[in-house]
């Protein structure tokens, strides 16, 4: 029998069986293991063609190190000539012809076929529309001519034992049963209980994506381990330290905490409530605690005990900003990876936040992509949303890891407003159909359960709030007095700086939080003229730089030295720091409440002071959310003045925040389904569910309705999706001696194993740039590739300031910006 090759050093049947085994495990998390196994056995079915085997044999004989046999449709063959060997479609065609004819078989056939034909491109469209027309792209792909897909030849060549496994799965009389049960659950839990409704169709689309994730991760992992066996040593494959051991470490830590004041007593009560709530059944929970209430460890206590109670695979923390990840992951790591257990170092807590490199990765870089294989993962909302809605195959491979997990969203109020319905549907999918529990943590709960139910709303209830009396908790933790200092026409930056200096002179320390970087720099420079020690914080600084500045700030605060800090919004969500007074530029009331959490954080008997000021001039043209937030805050602050007792005499009481969100969400309801800039008024929610506009175009063009069951435009929607307003690219900066040494090592590291470790380290030395910033720096030759074949860039040292971080212009010899 001829030996068919999948990759260098791997036979085809070994690859198919290896992927099938992993995909079965991944899909089995939601009871669909047989479908995962079938996908694994069929995904590279097209490699049984003689044309593909000639291609790969020729490449291997030439030892072509740049050769990637997994590229589909368009690639360079060893002679440099464009090739079009399609090895993805044959498996889908083979399965579709063997599949049954019932309606359930047809839907399963479309779902699995979509995964098979998409496993190198990202999910393809079912229906496609563009300037040239509208067509059924799924059916067109499945009807591709055999001269291009080689289906019949592959069916003759397939290894017999692989074919037997495929036939055994398909011959099972209950083959469709798990799928039918899952679909019934999706329809039953949708608000309209109709399989054609927006929510039901959207959830079916997520089911496709979940199975696709199971296949992609299995394929990438098996391929990587065969190409580079040494990389397998970095994988834990779910063999983690037990929850009971991690619980013991956390509980031991709690025994060392001392109760120094009333705030510490309240934090202890919050933690105990979370401990007791961990016995509850799986579900969707809220944890509403004022800033400074100890949410991080309290939520970890709930998550660990809840994970042990229900046998969850992992705990995933979704956090909005890398500054909080830096802080919270370190706190948790010190507890769960103590020095006395060095064998656990790096195996418990995984951080994944910076996207170093371009979205399109080479096959070599794909080996470095992490798939959240750890018991406790800290990642960002950007990464979470990308796993559900992003383009390509990099983010989606992590989606299946969100099943059978405790998922904690810290500072949930930072969710982008245009993602509300996408997010709500994703959470409902995880809770209702993937066996996960979700906790929404914040001091300022957005009204995610009060939005349009037919588009996707969370099913929140008071019974699922982990705190028994939120209003009382807020009253007990009140530690600041608010000063509404709005005036006409507004405050100049010089006046704000002067107010900050006076507060330092009077109270010893002051934090100024602004909306834009320009304001931070101007106020910083103005305040420095008075001879004070002034610090600056912004996202233009890499994590290591920010950590060092925060460390200096905390030391001076502890030592009682006079200090002023001017920061962008990054400091106000979860950063553990304590100033005597805070000045917050007018923004959304939720942002003001978060900024107040940096004032008198630990409950000093002497009340803290928070000043709300309205700047006379502020360019927010590209910051719509802040603009609307300011407008609504102006309204609710005026309402508060007329009836303070009606809002519990507290500007940031739960009643005030609820009134603010009612105003804010009502004003933004038309953007919650993610409108897209196209030649028609469409939304991603529609494109990923009923896709009504494209269906209407199809009907007009073809004078009939599409015959396929799923009609989503997956690929078009994914390319349009950005979890933040503009896509960013990470650039590595050589901050300090360690940063410069890291850049040198990255430029000289050619072994994958070495690159793996260096890129993980580089996350702490990276800064995210908007496209216009990246282009401007590139034009000045300030960006350089670490190696010729990669899309990973580092910054010229002359464009990084010791005070402000990345600069669009060269800094002078002293390292200061020209401002």
């Amino acid at each position: 029998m001829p030996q068919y090759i999948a990759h260098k050093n791997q036979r085809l049947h070994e690859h198919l069986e290896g992927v099938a085994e992993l995909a079965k495990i991944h899909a089995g998390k939601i009871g669909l293991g047989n479908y995962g196994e079938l996908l694994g056995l069929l995904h590279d079915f097209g490699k049984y063609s003689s044309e593909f085997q000639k291609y790969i044999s020729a490449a291997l004989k030439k030892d072509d190190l740049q050769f990637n046999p997994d590229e589909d449709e368009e690639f360079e063959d060893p002679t440099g000539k464009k090739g079009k060997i399609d090895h993805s479609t044959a498996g889908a065609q083979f399965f579709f012809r063997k599949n049954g004819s019932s309606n359930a078989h047809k839907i399963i056939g479309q779902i699995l076929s979509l995964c098979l034909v998409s496993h190198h491109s990202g999910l393809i469209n079912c229906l496609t529309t563009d300037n040239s027309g509208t067509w059924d792209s799924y059916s067109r792909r499945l009807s591709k001519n055999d001269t291009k897909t080689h289906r019949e030849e592959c069916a003759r060549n397939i290894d017999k034992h692989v074919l037997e496994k495929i036939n055994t799965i398909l011959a099972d009389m209950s083959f469709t049963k798990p799928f039918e049960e899952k679909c019934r659950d999706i329809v039953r839990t949708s608000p309209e209980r109709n399989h054609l409704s927006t929510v039901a169709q959207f959830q079916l689309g997520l089911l496709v994506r979940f199975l696709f994730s199971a296949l992609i991760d299995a394929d990438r992992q098996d391929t990587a381990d065969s190409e580079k066996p040494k990389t397998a040593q970095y994988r834990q494959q779910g063999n983690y330290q037990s929850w009971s051991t991690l619980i013991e470490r956390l509980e031991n830590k709690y025994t060392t905490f001392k109760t120094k004041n009333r705030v510490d007593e309240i934090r202890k009560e919050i933690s105990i409530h979370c401990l007791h709530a961990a016995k509850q059944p799986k579900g969707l929970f809220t944890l509403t605690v004022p800033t400074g209430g100890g949410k991080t460890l309290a939520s970890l206590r709930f998550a660990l005990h809840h994970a042990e109670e229900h046998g969850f695979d992992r705990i995933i923390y979704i956090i909005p900003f890398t500054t909080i990840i830096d802080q919270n992951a370190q706190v948790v790591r010190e507890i769960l990876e103590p020095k006395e257990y060095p064998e656990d170092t790096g195996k418990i807590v995984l951080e994944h936040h910076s996207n170093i490199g371009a979205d399109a990765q080479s096959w070599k870089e794909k080996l470095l992509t992490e798939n959240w294989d750890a018991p406790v993962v800290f990642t960002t909302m950007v990464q979470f949303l990308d796993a559900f809605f992003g383009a390509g195959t990099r983010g989606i491979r992590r989606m299946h890891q969100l099943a059978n997990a405790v998922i904690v969203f810290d500072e949930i109020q930072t969710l982008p407003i245009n993602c509300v319905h996408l997010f709500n549907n994703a959470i409902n999918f995880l809770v209702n159909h993937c066996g996960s529990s979700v906790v929404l943590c914040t001091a300022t709960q957005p009204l995610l359960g009060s939005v349009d139910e037919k588009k996707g709303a969370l099913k929140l209830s008071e019974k699922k709030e982990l705190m028994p009396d939120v209003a009382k908790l807020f009253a007990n933790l009140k530690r600041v007095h608010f000063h509404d200092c709005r005036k006409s026409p507004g405050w100049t930056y010089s006046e704000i700086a002067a107010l900050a200096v006076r507060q330092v002179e009077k109270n010893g320390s002051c934090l100024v939080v602004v909306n834009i970087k320009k304001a931070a720099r101007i106020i910083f420079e103005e305040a420095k003229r008075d001879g004070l020690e002034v610090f600056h914080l912004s996202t233009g600084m890499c994590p290591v730089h920010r950590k060092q500045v925060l460390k200096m700030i905390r030391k001076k605060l502890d030592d009682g030295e006079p200090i002023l800090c001017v920061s962008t919004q990054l400091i106000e969500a979860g950063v553990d720091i304590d100033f005597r007074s805070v000045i917050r530029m007018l923004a959304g009331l939720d942002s003001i409440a978060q900024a107040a959490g940096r004032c008198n954080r630990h409950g000093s008997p002497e009340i803290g002071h928070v000043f709300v000021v309205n700047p006379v001039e502020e360019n927010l043209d590209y910051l719509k959310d802040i603009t609307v937030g300011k407008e609504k805050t102006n309204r609710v602050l005026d309402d508060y003045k007329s009836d303070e007792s009606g809002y519990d005499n507290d500007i940031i009481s739960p009643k005030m925040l609820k009134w603010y969100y009612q105003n804010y969400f009502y004003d933004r309801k038309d953007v919650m389904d993610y409108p897209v800039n196209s030649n028609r008024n469409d939304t991603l929610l529609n494109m990923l569910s009923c896709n009504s506009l494209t269906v209407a175009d199809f009907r007009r063009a073809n004078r009939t309705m599409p015959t396929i069951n799923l009609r989503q435009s997956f690929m078009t929607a994914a390319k349009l999706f950005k979890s933040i307003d503009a896509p960013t690219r990470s650039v590595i900066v050589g901050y300090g001696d360690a940063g410069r040494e890291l850049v040198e090592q990255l430029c000289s590291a050619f072994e994958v194993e070495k690159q793996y470790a260096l890129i993980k380290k580089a996350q702490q030395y990276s800064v995210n740039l908007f496209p216009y910033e990246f282009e401007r720096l590139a034009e000045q030759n300030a960006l350089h590739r670490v190696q010729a074949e990669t899309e990973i860039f580092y910054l010229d040292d002359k464009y990084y300031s010791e005070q402000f971080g990345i600069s669009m212009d060269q800094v002078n010899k002293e390292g200061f910006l020209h401002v």
Side-chain angles (χ1 to χ4, degrees):
M1 294 290 293
Q3 295 294 331
Y4 295 95
I5 303 170
H7 309 104
K8 184 179 182 180
N9 301 325
Q10 190 178 36
R11 294 174 181 175
L12 182 51
H13 74 87
E14 293 172 343
H15 178 58
L16 296 178
E17 291 171 318
V19 174
E21 181 180 353
L22 290 171
K24 183 176 183 179
I25 294 171
H26 300 336
K29 296 174 185 177
I30 62 171
L32 302 180
N34 281 348
Y35 306 119
E37 182 181 14
L38 189 60
L39 288 171
L41 293 171
L42 285 168
H43 78 287
D44 276 352
F45 177 85
K47 290 184 178 180
Y48 278 108
S49 72
S50 57
E51 185 175 353
F52 182 87
Q53 290 301 310
K54 288 177 184 177
Y55 163 66
I56 190 171
S57 297
L60 293 178
K61 285 179 181 178
K62 292 187 176 184
D63 195 25
D64 184 2
L65 298 179
Q66 301 304 314
F67 155 73
N68 178 13
D70 286 332
E71 288 296 338
D72 209 6
E73 295 294 328
E74 299 279 346
F75 59 85
E76 293 283 346
D77 72 11
T79 64
K81 182 181 177 182
K82 278 287 184 182
K84 291 186 179 181
I85 302 177
D86 177 355
H87 70 267
S88 295
T89 307
Q93 291 178 330
F94 178 82
F95 163 65
F96 203 84
R97 283 158 177 76
K98 277 184 167 286
N99 193 29
S101 57
S102 71
N103 193 48
H105 278 96
K106 289 179 181 178
I107 301 177
I108 293 174
Q110 186 180 356
I111 288 178
L112 299 191
S113 297
L114 278 167
C115 295
L116 292 170
V117 300
S118 304
H119 76 275
H120 290 298
S121 62
L123 280 175
I124 68 167
N125 290 334
C126 298
L127 297 181
T128 298
T129 188
D130 60 21
N131 294 332
S132 63
T134 303
W135 64 95
D136 177 350
S137 42
Y138 163 76
S139 297
R140 182 179 294 185
R141 180 71 177 267
L142 265 289
S143 61
K144 202 170 181 179
N145 192 284
D146 189 67
T147 59
K148 295 182 177 180
T149 68
H150 312 286
R151 174 185 57 82
E152 293 184 4
E153 180 191 9
C154 293
R156 293 192 300 270
N157 293 343
I158 187 171
D159 288 280
K160 296 298 184 287
H161 64 284
V162 174
L163 181 60
E164 288 173 4
K165 288 183 178 181
I166 295 170
N167 288 335
T168 299
I169 295 172
L170 293 175
D172 188 342
M173 296 297 291
S174 61
F175 173 68
T176 65
K177 186 176 180 181
F179 173 80
E180 291 179 275
E181 290 177 352
K182 186 63 68 176
C183 288
R184 277 195 292 269
D185 285 344
I186 286 174
V187 174
R188 177 178 54 81
T189 57
S190 65
E192 297 179 82
R193 294 178 178 266
N194 183 334
H195 73 282
L196 297 177
S197 69
T198 295
V199 170
Q201 286 293 308
F202 192 94
Q203 300 279 327
L204 286 172
L206 292 182
L207 182 61
V208 176
R209 196 168 174 94
F210 187 94
L211 289 171
F212 187 52
S213 171
L215 172 62
I216 292 300
D217 191 30
D219 184 26
R220 301 301 186 262
Q221 180 178 324
D222 186 77
T223 300
D225 290 350
S226 69
E227 295 268 345
K228 298 286 183 179
K230 289 183 180 180
T231 60
Q233 67 182 308
Y234 295 105
R235 306 188 195 281
Q236 300 189 75
Q237 301 284 41
N239 296 315
Y240 308 141
Q241 186 60 269
S242 67
W243 292 126
S244 59
T245 297
L246 300 183
I247 286 171
E248 182 181 3
R249 293 174 184 176
L250 177 62
E251 295 302 328
N252 286 340
K253 182 67 175 180
Y254 266 103
T255 64
T256 67
F257 293 153
K258 296 179 181 179
T259 304
K260 302 174 183 176
N261 51 38
R262 177 57 180 155
V263 171
D264 287 341
E265 291 176 1
I266 294 172
R267 289 169 178 166
K268 183 177 179 181
E269 292 171 6
I270 291 168
S271 179
I272 290 173
H273 286 308
C274 287
L275 172 63
H276 293 162
K279 295 290 184 181
Q280 290 194 46
K282 297 179 179 181
L284 173 60
F285 303 90
T286 54
L287 176 58
T288 310
V289 173
T291 53
K295 290 190 297 293
T296 300
L297 291 187
S299 61
L300 178 65
R301 199 175 198 183
F302 170 85
L304 285 172
H305 285 273
H306 198 56
E308 184 182 46
E309 177 76 14
H310 297 290
F312 286 115
D313 293 335
R314 62 185 44 79
I315 296 166
I316 302 177
Y317 271 85
I318 313 294
I319 295 179
F321 308 119
T322 55
T323 45
I324 317 176
I325 289 183
D326 299 339
Q327 170 186 292
N328 292 6
Q330 183 60 29
V331 169
V332 174
R333 184 178 289 110
E334 289 175 356
I335 296 172
L336 301 185
E337 298 179 8
K339 293 179 181 179
E340 55 266 34
Y341 296 98
E343 65 275 13
D344 284 339
T345 301
K347 293 184 178 181
I348 307 298
V349 179
L350 169 70
E351 289 181 68
H352 180 226
H353 42 81
S354 293
N355 276 333
I356 299 175
D359 289 338
Q361 292 179 304
S362 69
W363 73 271
K364 186 177 180 182
E365 288 173 281
K366 285 176 182 176
L367 302 184
L368 309 177
T369 303
E370 299 173 67
N371 67 343
W372 296 350
D373 181 16
V376 181
V377 179
F378 280 82
T379 190
T380 62
M381 180 66 82
V382 170
Q383 295 286 352
F384 172 82
L385 293 172
D386 188 58
F388 275 90
F389 309 111
T393 60
R394 181 172 62 173
I396 197 173
R397 67 177 290 190
R398 306 181 187 102
M399 180 183 172
H400 71 90
Q401 300 285 44
L402 292 158
N404 194 40
V406 186
I407 308 167
V408 181
F409 289 88
D410 197 10
E411 309 295 355
I412 186 59
Q413 80 283 352
T414 60
L415 174 72
I417 193 72
N418 62 339
C419 294
V420 164
H421 288 304
L422 301 185
F423 175 82
N424 286 350
N425 281 299
I427 296 304
N428 288 334
F429 181 77
L430 289 172
V431 172
N432 296 329
H433 310 299
C434 298
S436 294
S437 280
V438 170
V439 186
L440 306 179
C441 296
T442 182
T444 54
Q445 288 285 353
L447 305 179
L448 298 178
S450 301
V451 296
D452 190 342
E453 186 182 29
K454 293 181 179 179
K455 292 183 177 182
L458 294 185
K459 297 178 181 178
L460 300 169
S461 71
E462 292 184 5
K463 294 180 180 179
K464 293 295 185 179
E465 168 59 53
L466 301 185
M467 294 298 104
D469 191 337
V470 172
K472 181 181 177 181
L473 183 61
F474 270 72
N476 289 341
L477 271 176
K478 186 174 180 180
R479 307 181 300 278
V480 302
H481 177 71
F482 276 88
H483 303 268
D484 183 355
C485 298
R486 294 173 297 155
K487 66 179 183 179
S488 179
W491 290 68
T492 66
Y493 290 146
S494 295
E495 288 175 328
I496 295 171
L499 174 62
V501 171
R502 290 196 300 272
Q503 284 303 306
V504 174
E505 293 171 348
K506 181 178 181 180
N507 295 310
S509 65
C510 182
L511 168 68
V512 181
V513 183
V514 302
N515 295 321
I516 56 176
K517 292 178 184 178
K518 179 182 178 180
R521 294 179 181 180
I522 294 174
I523 294 172
F524 174 91
E525 293 292 344
E526 288 282 344
K528 277 188 66 179
R529 294 174 182 173
D530 288 277
L532 273 177
E533 186 160 23
V534 186
F535 291 89
H536 171 276
L537 286 169
S538 79
T539 53
M541 302 155 69
C542 70
V544 166
H545 190 176
R546 291 197 302 264
K547 283 181 180 179
Q548 290 184 1
V549 172
L550 282 168
K551 185 178 180 180
M552 288 188 287
I553 292 172
R554 289 190 178 104
K555 185 178 188 308
K556 291 185 178 295
L557 288 170
D558 291 341
D559 293 343
E561 296 183 28
I563 183 174
L564 172 61
C565 176
V566 185
S567 175
T568 57
Q569 305 99 299
L570 69 88
I571 201 171
E572 63 187 20
V575 177
D576 186 9
I577 201 161
D578 188 1
F579 287 85
R580 292 304 309 153
S581 59
V582 168
I583 300 170
R584 182 58 169 99
M585 281 195 183
L586 189 65
L589 190 63
D590 55 336
S591 295
I592 293 171
Q594 293 294 335
R598 309 319 119 195
C599 184
N600 194 17
R601 188 172 180 84
H602 301 302
S604 168
E606 185 179 350
I607 199 77
H609 295 272
V610 177
F611 302 83
V612 179
V613 299
N614 55 326
V616 69
E617 183 179 350
E618 189 177 39
N619 185 0
L620 300 176
D621 290 346
Y622 298 102
L623 299 170
K624 177 68 174 177
D625 292 347
I626 295 178
T627 301
V628 177
K630 285 179 62 173
E631 176 190 338
K632 301 309 173 187
T633 298
N634 266 323
R635 173 178 176 176
V636 299
L637 288 180
D638 289 343
D639 292 342
Y640 177 80
K641 281 184 176 180
S642 63
D643 184 17
E644 294 185 12
S645 61
Y647 296 101
D648 298 331
N649 298 301
D650 186 0
I651 282 179
I652 58 169
S653 68
K655 287 183 180 178
M656 271 289 284
L657 288 164
K658 183 177 181 179
W659 179 227
Y660 164 75
Y661 274 122
Q662 285 174 343
N663 281 273
Y664 182 76
F665 271 34
Y666 180 82
D667 190 81
R668 308 305 307 279
K669 63 182 179 180
D670 292 336
V671 301
M672 290 182 181
D673 48 5
Y674 207 120
V676 291
N677 295 321
S678 61
N679 55 4
R680 56 184 180 173
N681 295 320
D682 209 346
T683 68
L684 290 196
L685 180 70
N686 179 57
M687 294 172 69
L688 293 171
S689 56
C690 301
N691 209 7
S692 57
L693 297 184
T694 302
V695 170
D697 287 344
F698 182 94
R699 186 175 184 178
R700 282 192 293 270
N702 300 280
R703 298 184 179 180
T704 185
M705 292 291 285
T707 58
I708 52 178
N709 290 283
L710 297 179
R711 299 167 178 179
Q712 291 91 336
S713 295
F714 291 114
M715 182 169 285
T716 302
K719 289 179 179 178
L720 290 170
F721 174 77
K722 296 295 177 186
S723 56
I724 52 179
D725 288 339
T728 58
R729 295 184 68 173
S730 289
V731 173
I732 301 169
V733 298
Y735 175 72
D737 293 339
R740 286 187 284 274
E741 182 180 353
L742 174 65
V743 170
E744 291 175 3
Q745 290 175 332
L746 278 166
C747 291
S748 60
F750 293 96
E751 295 181 7
V752 170
E753 293 81 5
K754 189 174 182 181
Q755 288 184 6
Y756 182 97
L758 290 173
I759 285 184
K760 287 187 69 174
K761 186 177 180 181
Q763 291 181 348
Q764 294 297 308
Y765 290 87
S766 65
V767 175
N768 290 329
L769 298 177
F770 290 109
Y772 75 91
E773 294 174 317
F774 190 94
E775 291 169 8
R776 180 171 171 180
L777 288 169
E779 289 172 357
Q780 299 179 74
N781 296 316
L783 300 177
H784 311 280
R785 285 180 169 84
V786 297
Q787 292 184 23
E789 74 276 13
T790 72
E791 289 296 318
I792 300 175
F793 291 84
Y794 69 91
L795 180 75
D796 189 310
D797 287 348
K798 293 190 292 292
Y799 291 81
Y800 194 85
S801 162
E802 288 286 335
Q803 288 183 334
F804 300 114
I806 284 188
S807 167
M808 292 298 105
D809 302 299
Q810 286 192 31
V811 297
N812 61 25
K813 293 181 180 180
E814 286 75 30
F816 293 94
L817 283 175
H818 298 300
V819 292

